[in-house]
Amino acid sequence: MENKERPVWMTDPLVKDIPEKKLQFVEQLFVQGHGKSQKEMMAYLMPMMKKAKAENLTFTPQEMNAAIAAIRKHSTKEELTQIDKILEKSRSKNG
């Protein structure tokens, strides 16, 4: 896995101060969430949030915003639509 090419967004200056483990978690969240329906997304997000908590992965609002901004900056139009769906679902879950 070390030799696997990192997504472009992970090399963006916006996320340079975020630990690698957190970046990998966010990447996994977006990659595996891609193409899921709302119901599938909710079923997917719950275990992922528990996993993050179990691994003591907490994100400051600044870290989350930076990661999302970097991902959006390097995304296609289709990916942006998917990202917006994921974010909307996670916000409605937390709110």
Side-chain angles (χ1 to χ4, degrees):
M1 192 157 142
E2 290 297 316
N3 295 341
K4 190 178 160 196
E5 194 175 313
R6 292 175 71 189
V8 178
W9 74 268
M10 288 175 100
T11 61
D12 193 283
L14 286 169
V15 296
K16 70 177 175 27
D17 296 327
I18 300 175
E20 182 70 22
K21 189 173 182 180
K22 290 183 181 184
L23 294 178
Q24 289 172 351
F25 179 82
V26 172
E27 173 67 3
Q28 182 183 4
L29 193 63
F30 279 103
V31 168
Q32 293 181 358
H34 189 76
K36 291 189 181 333
S37 70
Q38 184 167 353
K39 191 174 182 180
E40 291 169 327
M41 216 35 229
M42 294 315 294
Y44 168 69
L45 280 175
M46 292 308 295
M48 286 300 287
M49 293 304 136
K50 284 184 180 149
K51 179 182 178 200
K53 200 172 198 172
E55 293 180 14
N56 288 323
L57 279 179
T58 56
F59 293 86
T60 66
Q62 294 84 358
E63 286 174 331
M64 236 20 243
N65 290 337
I68 291 165
I71 291 168
R72 292 181 68 87
K73 191 166 144 185
H74 300 282
S75 295
T76 65
K77 199 171 204 167
E78 181 186 271
E79 289 168 333
L80 286 171
T81 301
Q82 185 64 30
I83 290 166
D84 289 339
K85 279 172 53 179
I86 292 169
L87 292 174
E88 185 181 310
K89 288 167 195 154
S90 67
R91 279 191 200 108
S92 66
K93 187 71 189 147
N94 294 330

